[in-house]
Amino acid sequence: MSLLLINLAIVDTLILFIWTSQTAIPAFCNYFNGCLLYDRIKRAVWAYGWPFGTTVQLMGTWSIVSITFSRFVSVCWPSRAPHLNSRYQITMRTLAIHMGCIVFSSFRFAEVYIVYDKNGNMIYRKTVLASSVIYKYLYRIVLYYCITYLMPLSLLVYFTVRLCTNLRAMNKKRQEMTKKAKERSDLTFSLVVVVVVFIICQLPNPIRRLLYVIHGPFRMGCGYPNFYFSSWAVIFVNFNSACNFFIFCLCSPGFRRQLKQMVARRRRVQPLVSSTTVHGGSINTLSAQISGHL
């Protein structure tokens, strides 16, 4: 489980960095009447930065599914947990998710290409692939919605309902539970909260994608639906990535305890290193003094 949480933390950090930089930098440049460097590369950032962001966001979606599945196996299929939740299986699932997301999203990088006008300004043009009607409806609508929203959300709803059913049964016997069992129950509850927040925060994104397909990427100005839904979708995604860590901290005492132990271990290592350095320095000083006397 710790490996899955580390993977989720890395992906969430990447999502925050990518989407914040994609939205904050243009906003600051517009506020300060433009940035020369950003004006030169903004079309390249739009052409390749957004596909990269959607790739990482897809990794985050399926990482949530992987964590929920792992907890579902531990709670509902305990006999299969030693095999399905082994370190090897979790590592293979994580690698498969990342590779699958990269392969699926690789087509997004081939939708536009950059050309330069006579003044040296960047201009993006649609490729033949992006202009294809079959590609538009098959990949960008049907497959994209199935892989990004329909399949993961359906799995999350199923896993969450099963976990909630088990959680209610466990809460009835909470007084008889051991401390370790209570920590498992709290971890399950925190994961359910993470999934619920994730589903809520993902709701504006399908609407944004649908409007993007209908109106195209060029109607993004104030007054168009894309202008509002694009901003809210990014805000909700960033909020979701930022709050996962705090949800685990608030809802899972076991997670807080492990976090404190990890911080305490790091603090114990530092004095040992510094004391070794001091002793090493004193030994070197003493040897230098002896050499001087000799």
Side-chain angles (χ1 to χ4, degrees):
M1 194 70 175
S2 59
L3 180 62
L4 293 173
L5 292 177
I6 292 172
N7 172 67
L8 180 63
I10 294 173
V11 173
D12 281 340
T13 304
L14 284 174
I15 291 173
L16 282 171
F17 174 77
I18 292 169
W19 290 132
T20 302
S21 60
Q22 290 274 11
T23 54
I25 294 176
F28 276 107
C29 289
N30 291 333
Y31 181 78
F32 291 107
N33 297 323
C35 301
L36 183 60
L37 177 61
Y38 182 76
D39 289 340
R40 291 179 179 177
I41 65 172
K42 63 181 178 181
R43 295 188 182 276
V45 171
W46 184 91
Y48 304 113
W50 285 93
F52 181 67
T54 55
T55 304
V56 178
Q57 187 175 337
L58 186 61
M59 291 178 182
T61 299
W62 283 99
S63 295
I64 293 286
V65 175
S66 180
I67 293 175
T68 312
F69 172 73
S70 178
R71 194 64 200 151
F72 168 79
V73 169
S74 298
V75 173
C76 301
W77 296 345
S79 60
R80 303 183 186 180
H83 171 65
L84 293 177
N85 284 344
S86 65
R87 189 174 185 85
Y88 174 78
Q89 289 290 333
I90 289 175
T91 303
M92 290 297 102
R93 278 205 304 270
T94 304
L95 290 176
I97 286 172
H98 291 339
M99 292 303 298
C101 292
I102 291 172
V103 171
F104 178 77
S105 301
S106 60
F107 297 96
R108 299 295 307 277
F109 291 90
E111 291 183 358
V112 296
Y113 63 95
I114 303 296
V115 296
Y116 294 88
D117 60 10
K118 296 179 180 179
N119 298 323
N121 298 319
M122 287 184 179
I123 302 174
Y124 52 78
R125 294 281 186 265
K126 280 187 177 183
T127 61
V128 177
L129 179 66
S131 302
S132 172
V133 177
I134 297 176
Y135 174 81
K136 177 180 179 180
Y137 288 100
L138 180 62
Y139 176 80
R140 296 184 63 184
I141 296 180
V142 177
L143 287 178
Y144 192 86
Y145 272 83
C146 287
I147 300 297
T148 307
Y149 303 112
L150 186 60
M151 288 177 59
L153 292 182
S154 299
L155 290 171
L156 286 174
V157 169
Y158 173 74
F159 293 148
T160 305
V161 169
R162 292 289 303 274
L163 288 173
C164 287
T165 303
N166 186 275
L167 195 61
R168 283 198 298 268
M170 292 175 67
N171 286 335
K172 293 179 181 178
K173 304 177 182 178
R174 192 170 180 85
Q175 298 296 331
E176 305 172 3
M177 292 167 60
T178 62
K179 183 179 179 181
K180 199 166 186 179
K182 289 181 180 179
E183 288 182 356
R184 293 197 198 100
S185 177
D186 292 332
L187 181 61
T188 302
F189 174 72
S190 62
L191 187 57
V192 169
V193 175
V194 167
V195 171
V196 172
V197 172
F198 172 80
I199 293 174
I200 294 173
C201 291
Q202 290 297 318
L203 290 178
N205 218 20
I207 302 174
R208 178 190 69 85
R209 290 286 311 172
L210 187 61
L211 292 172
Y212 181 83
V213 171
I214 294 173
H215 295 288
F218 303 104
R219 296 181 179 179
M220 298 291 292
C222 184
Y224 289 104
N226 285 345
F227 178 81
Y228 304 103
F229 277 98
S230 294
S231 301
W232 279 108
V234 173
I235 291 172
F236 272 73
V237 168
N238 284 339
F239 173 78
N240 181 34
S241 298
C243 70
N244 285 335
F245 172 78
F246 298 101
I247 291 174
F248 280 110
C249 287
L250 290 173
C251 300
S252 178
F255 181 83
R256 292 198 300 269
R257 179 175 54 79
Q258 292 181 3
L259 184 63
K260 290 178 181 178
Q261 289 176 355
M262 183 180 68
V263 174
R265 281 198 301 268
R266 287 182 174 273
R267 287 181 177 177
R268 283 198 298 268
V269 169
Q270 289 178 355
L272 290 175
V273 175
S274 60
S275 62
T276 305
T277 305
V278 171
H279 288 303
S282 60
I283 291 172
N284 291 334
T285 305
L286 181 61
S287 60
Q289 291 176 353
I290 294 173
S291 300
H293 285 296
L294 292 175

